[in-house]
Amino acid sequence: MAQFQFVMRSGPTPGVTFPLDGDQLTIGRDSSNGVAINDAEVSRKHSRLSFQGGKYVIEDLGSTNGTFVNGQRLAGPVVLKAGDVVSLGEQIVLMYDAINMDPGATVAVSRKSARVEPPPAQSYQQPAPVYAANSAPAYTPPPAAGKKTNLTPILIGVGVLFFICSCAGFFWWVDATYRWCVFFSFLSGC
């Protein structure tokens, strides 16, 4: 018998484990979700997990920042496999894992509970996850691209500054060379 869980690899609480329990779970920012992640990048109801045929199927619920499995944005439901990396937007990374359990063992876990594991010793290195036998190899996400800067306001500002300096330079030159009447003959006194 296997029990499934998410382990947060990056996000607001790295190392937190979210046990997955039940036939239908939602993932989102709202505290009523089975997997609640309080982060602005996560929609209130971001994704849904459905337990079908002994496996969890994930689908995006029209979230703003998207749901990704192994770097691919979801366009429809996807069956999760142990070792899959689920990303909510760009910053929240969850590792999907299956834990083989002893059927004779007594386990009491609430759907809303989350066990906190200590964060990795060095935050810049991601520890290698431990997988069940016959699971997929670890997926290493590509390095996050730096935030893109919108250059339009900067270019407009530089253009306005150049225009103001050009106008000021022109009027200084007209005044310094006494050419007011040449350029501005409509002025009185010319």
Side-chain angles (χ1 to χ4, degrees), residues 19-79:
L20 304 179
D21 218 4
D23 292 337
Q24 292 280 327
L25 289 169
T26 52
I27 303 170
R29 188 175 66 234
D30 192 77
S31 62
S32 67
N33 290 295
V35 177
I37 301 171
N38 189 11
D39 189 275
E41 199 163 324
V42 179
S43 296
R44 282 192 233 3
K45 297 281 184 189
H46 199 98
S47 307
R48 177 178 31 240
L49 290 168
S50 304
F51 196 68
Q52 300 172 6
K55 299 178 181 182
Y56 274 104
V57 176
I58 188 167
E59 60 184 310
D60 188 77
L61 295 176
S63 65
T64 304
N65 294 316
T67 303
F68 302 80
V69 174
N70 298 328
Q72 298 295 314
R73 188 171 188 144
L74 295 185
V78 171
V79 176

Side-chain angles (χ1 to χ4, degrees), residues 5-18 35 37 39 70 82-88 90-99 115-132 135-142:
Q5 67 181 9
F6 277 131
V7 179
M8 185 174 289
R9 292 296 175 207
S10 70
T13 52
V16 168
T17 301
F18 299 96
V35 177
I37 301 171
D39 189 275
N70 298 328
D84 280 348
V85 175
V86 176
S87 303
L88 309 175
E90 293 180 5
Q91 304 299 320
I92 312 300
V93 178
L94 304 169
M95 180 68 67
Y96 178 74
D97 205 0
I99 304 168
R115 187 181 74 223
V116 177
E117 294 177 0
Q122 296 176 343
S123 61
Y124 60 87
Q125 285 186 335
Q126 193 170 346
V130 178
Y131 298 103
S135 66
Y139 168 78
T140 305

Side-chain angles (χ1 to χ4, degrees), residues 180-182 184-190:
W180 285 104
C181 289
V182 173
F184 305 102
S185 58
F186 58 87
L187 295 175
S188 61
C190 288

